[in-house]
Amino acid sequence: MEAYKFETTVLQGGTFLIPECARFANQPVEVFVVVKPAKAPHYKPSQNIEEFLNKWTGFLGDVDPDELKYQYLQEKYK
């Protein structure tokens, strides 16, 4: 079995054209249609890294993360 890959667009009436299809004339073929996902719009961050760090640095300033982990594990394994 030979396989060929073509990229094309489905036309308004639901038809599509296969490039160089003359060489496939009078031959049985099997067609698979794989719909490509629409391209997501390019993500543009609302703030740069400096603004992010200025906003969130020190959020948990007076808290020791290791102490919180220790307390959590003590509660979990009582």
Side-chain angles (χ1 to χ4, degrees):
M1 179 172 136
E2 293 180 46
Y4 300 92
K5 180 179 177 181
F6 302 103
E7 290 193 20
T8 187
T9 302
V10 177
L11 302 175
Q12 186 67 29
T15 60
F16 57 91
L17 302 174
I18 299 175
E20 304 174 24
C21 66
R23 67 180 184 193
F24 304 118
N26 299 318
Q27 295 183 29
V29 296
E30 188 172 0
V31 178
F32 292 90
V33 177
V34 178
V35 178
K36 289 185 173 185
K39 291 184 179 181
H42 181 67
Y43 174 73
K44 182 180 177 191
S46 59
Q47 57 188 351
N48 62 27
I49 189 67
E50 288 86 19
E51 292 171 344
F52 175 82
L53 291 174
N54 288 338
K55 180 177 180 181
W56 293 103
T57 299
F59 178 71
L60 296 174
D62 296 336
V63 179
D64 180 15
D66 291 330
E67 180 63 29
L68 289 176
K69 289 177 197 175
Y70 177 72
Q71 290 175 3
Y72 167 76
L73 291 172
Q74 278 188 330
E75 290 293 320
K76 182 176 179 180
Y77 294 108
K78 273 187 175 179

